[in-house]
Amino acid sequence: MNSLLALSLILLLLLPLSSISLIHSSAVEDPAYPSGMSFFPLTNVIYTTYVIGTVNITSLNIGNSYLSSGMFFTKSNASLQLNAMIDGKYWAQDVALFHEINNKEFEITMIINLWNLSGPFKILKNNVTTYQGLGVYLYQGPTFNVTLPLNFSLFMNATNNLEFGYCINGKKYVYQVLPYFGNFQIGGLSILGLPNDLEFVWGGPGCGSEVCMSGEMSEEIYYLQQGKLVIPSSAFSVGLDTAESAYGIKIFANFENISSPFACITKGVNSPSVLWPVPPSIIVQSNGSIKHVKLCINGFPLSNQEVEVLVPSANLSSPIPFTTVKEFGYTNNDGEITFNISSQSLYIIYYPGNYTLSSAYDISSPLLSHLVSSIKSAYDSLVNFLKSYNFKHALSSSFSRIKYKSQSTSVDYLLLEYIGAFAVGILVSAILAKYKF
């Protein structure tokens, strides 16, 4: 047994039982994920100099958090993280640690984690450490109180230097400026094989912890492209890189304006899902040759959307047998359109997709389903990606300069964090593993 582990175990035995919560006796019933929204394009790579995540909080309740071993970590503390990769070499985290004072008032402490995935930092000299050959920059920013309802944003700017900031009800603050490291890369894999995603997620207060929380919120993420803030063309309900997670909340998309969708957070169970693009519902009612078509998403009619009637090409054995557009038109304000398809018995009513909606279709005969199996949408690809994704391999944040607060005790949770971590064999602030997709 090495001396550090022995010392940790001795300290664990010497601490009074009142200051230590025992291993969580029962496993969390709900699955825990980094919960919020993320953007990871599967087919292209986007470079940008500016990323921002915004949350509108109506209500928020933060419960207990636990280390991955099941050991109690702290109470009433959670992290809101804006995370992005820089050129696949650095992992930048702009983090707000929320501590619940009461159901209306919260204390926020700003934290920066910047990982050098290629080795120790050479430019940065202060607030740096090295873990398993990787450089880690740790910085604690300002602490302030906020009251609900709250409009709160996290942003990072890599235009000239690397700026970390936040906004409170529209007022902007930059709290740390570092040298330039490159542009934010969204898409592709980092040099460690992790996805270069842009994520704006809730999770436990560091060290791969999971937190029980609930609330009513909405979230948006944007990135800068050609001088304008752009809504991502796709979004997941979970983050892909961070190991901190949350349970007790569910994420779903709001499509009242399909060109400006956003994520909603409410009480429930989250699961890895595609927020958008998603296929809309196509409802077809036949009256002889007249086909009444209605297009809607989550009950909202989709107006001014192109809908096509596809008919078979000459070669039905071709990879895409339906290639000829016989008719097309645009839905009215009620999301409806009518076609007269008297000359064809085999056809597909097809919606090609628009904004953050995926393609969808209705087939005239179930027997033709095998002929159109090659029609795949962006939604299908994103779902398949999530099904095969391994969420166990991620980056555990390190907030080692923080002494976590609790409503019921003044225990130094940082000390417990290290003692508990060594006692059960957990490596704090570690990359859990390199892996392949």
Side-chain angles (χ1 to χ4, degrees), residues 384-428:
N384 291 334
F385 171 80
L386 280 181
K387 286 181 178 179
S388 63
Y389 191 75
N390 188 346
F391 286 93
K392 293 181 179 179
H393 298 284
L395 295 164
S396 292
S397 305
S398 171
F399 309 139
S400 62
R401 296 178 181 273
I402 291 296
K403 185 175 181 179
Y404 292 105
K405 295 185 177 181
S406 176
Q407 293 175 333
S408 59
T409 179
S410 59
V411 173
D412 187 341
Y413 285 101
L414 177 60
L415 178 60
L416 287 184
E417 170 187 335
Y418 283 110
I419 293 173
F422 282 113
V424 297
I426 302 169
L427 297 178
V428 178

Side-chain angles (χ1 to χ4, degrees), residues 65-137:
S65 58
Y66 300 87
L67 297 174
S68 58
S69 64
M71 177 179 286
F72 174 77
F73 187 17
T74 182
K75 179 182 179 181
S76 303
N77 296 287
S79 67
L80 177 63
Q81 307 182 11
L82 178 68
N83 302 328
M85 290 287 185
I86 299 176
D87 291 334
K89 298 178 181 179
Y90 302 93
W91 190 47
Q93 295 183 275
D94 190 10
V95 181
L97 285 181
F98 277 69
H99 169 67
E100 181 177 351
I101 299 172
N102 54 56
N103 60 359
K104 287 292 185 181
E105 188 176 6
F106 293 80
E107 182 184 83
I108 295 178
T109 299
M110 299 305 303
I111 298 293
I112 294 171
N113 267 199
L114 178 65
W115 287 75
N116 182 358
L117 305 183
S118 62
F121 279 108
K122 297 181 179 179
I123 299 177
L124 301 177
K125 302 299 182 182
N126 299 321
N127 302 310
V128 296
T129 186
T130 302
Y131 181 82
Q132 291 190 347
L134 303 182
V136 187
Y137 174 83

Side-chain angles (χ1 to χ4, degrees), residues 339-360:
F339 293 106
N340 189 331
I341 316 177
S342 58
S343 61
Q344 292 284 342
S345 59
L346 304 181
Y347 62 87
I348 294 177
I349 301 221
Y350 180 66
Y351 175 67
N354 197 359
Y355 298 108
T356 49
L357 297 177
S358 184
S359 59

Side-chain angles (χ1 to χ4, degrees), residues 183-214:
N183 292 329
F184 299 109
Q185 179 182 340
I186 309 173
L189 302 180
S190 72
I191 59 176
L192 290 183
L194 293 170
N196 296 317
D197 73 333
L198 170 62
E199 53 189 32
F200 186 54
V201 293
W202 290 92
C207 305
S209 57
E210 57 187 45
V211 63
C212 178
M213 60 182 293
S214 62

Side-chain angles (χ1 to χ4, degrees), residues 24-344:
H24 196 31
S25 59
S26 61
V28 175
E29 294 182 1
D30 296 339
Y33 296 97
S35 296
M37 56 192 311
S38 68
F39 174 40
F40 180 64
L42 301 183
T43 58
N44 63 313
V45 174
I46 297 168
Y47 291 94
T48 182
T49 58
Y50 187 86
V51 293
I52 184 171
T54 297
V55 61
N56 288 285
I57 306 175
T58 301
S59 65
L60 177 61
N61 179 263
I62 304 173
N64 296 339
S65 58
Y66 300 87
L67 297 174
S68 58
S69 64
M71 177 179 286
F72 174 77
F73 187 17
T74 182
K75 179 182 179 181
S76 303
N77 296 287
S79 67
L80 177 63
Q81 307 182 11
L82 178 68
N83 302 328
M85 290 287 185
I86 299 176
D87 291 334
K89 298 178 181 179
Y90 302 93
W91 190 47
Q93 295 183 275
D94 190 10
V95 181
L97 285 181
F98 277 69
H99 169 67
E100 181 177 351
I101 299 172
N102 54 56
N103 60 359
K104 287 292 185 181
E105 188 176 6
F106 293 80
E107 182 184 83
I108 295 178
T109 299
M110 299 305 303
I111 298 293
I112 294 171
N113 267 199
L114 178 65
W115 287 75
N116 182 358
L117 305 183
S118 62
F121 279 108
K122 297 181 179 179
I123 299 177
L124 301 177
K125 302 299 182 182
N126 299 321
N127 302 310
V128 296
T129 186
T130 302
Y131 181 82
Q132 291 190 347
L134 303 182
V136 187
Y137 174 83
L138 310 172
Y139 179 80
Q140 178 179 336
T143 296
F144 47 87
N145 285 21
V146 296
T147 56
L148 303 186
L150 173 69
N151 178 276
F152 185 75
S153 300
L154 297 172
F155 66 86
M156 295 185 287
N157 189 348
T159 302
N160 295 310
N161 297 296
L162 179 56
E163 296 180 351
F164 294 84
Y166 59 94
C167 302
I168 302 176
N169 296 324
K171 190 171 182 180
K172 185 176 181 180
Y173 303 87
V174 174
Y175 69 97
Q176 182 61 306
V177 179
L178 299 178
Y180 177 76
F181 287 95
N183 292 329
F184 299 109
Q185 179 182 340
I186 309 173
L189 302 180
S190 72
I191 59 176
L192 290 183
L194 293 170
N196 296 317
D197 73 333
L198 170 62
E199 53 189 32
F200 186 54
V201 293
W202 290 92
C207 305
S209 57
E210 57 187 45
V211 63
C212 178
M213 60 182 293
S214 62
E216 295 291 332
M217 298 173 269
S218 64
E219 285 191 358
E220 303 161 271
I221 53 175
Y222 303 90
Y223 63 94
L224 190 68
Q225 201 85 135
Q226 297 179 343
K228 296 181 179 180
L229 289 178
V230 177
I231 298 173
S233 58
S234 63
F236 295 128
S237 67
V238 292
L240 303 178
D241 284 352
T242 190
E244 284 72 53
S245 58
Y247 60 96
I249 54 176
K250 68 176 180 180
I251 322 295
F252 60 95
N254 183 297
F255 289 105
E256 292 185 35
N257 183 346
I258 62 171
S259 62
S260 299
F262 57 89
C264 297
I265 301 178
T266 189
K267 185 177 181 180
V269 179
N270 193 29
S271 60
S273 61
V274 177
L275 295 177
W276 66 78
V278 294
S281 298
I282 297 180
I283 303 170
V284 180
Q285 294 180 335
S286 297
N287 184 9
S289 62
I290 304 301
K291 312 298 178 185
H292 298 282
V293 180
K294 183 169 184 178
L295 201 64
C296 57
I297 182 76
N298 296 342
F300 296 105
L302 297 173
S303 61
N304 198 34
Q305 300 297 300
E306 181 177 339
V307 180
E308 303 172 351
V309 177
L310 303 182
V311 296
S313 61
N315 182 10
L316 284 177
S317 63
S318 65
I320 304 180
F322 285 77
T323 57
T324 303
V325 178
K326 183 178 185 296
E327 294 183 54
F328 74 93
Y330 294 86
T331 56
N332 60 21
N333 290 336
D334 296 321
E336 298 176 348
I337 187 173
T338 299
F339 293 106
N340 189 331
I341 316 177
S342 58
S343 61
Q344 292 284 342

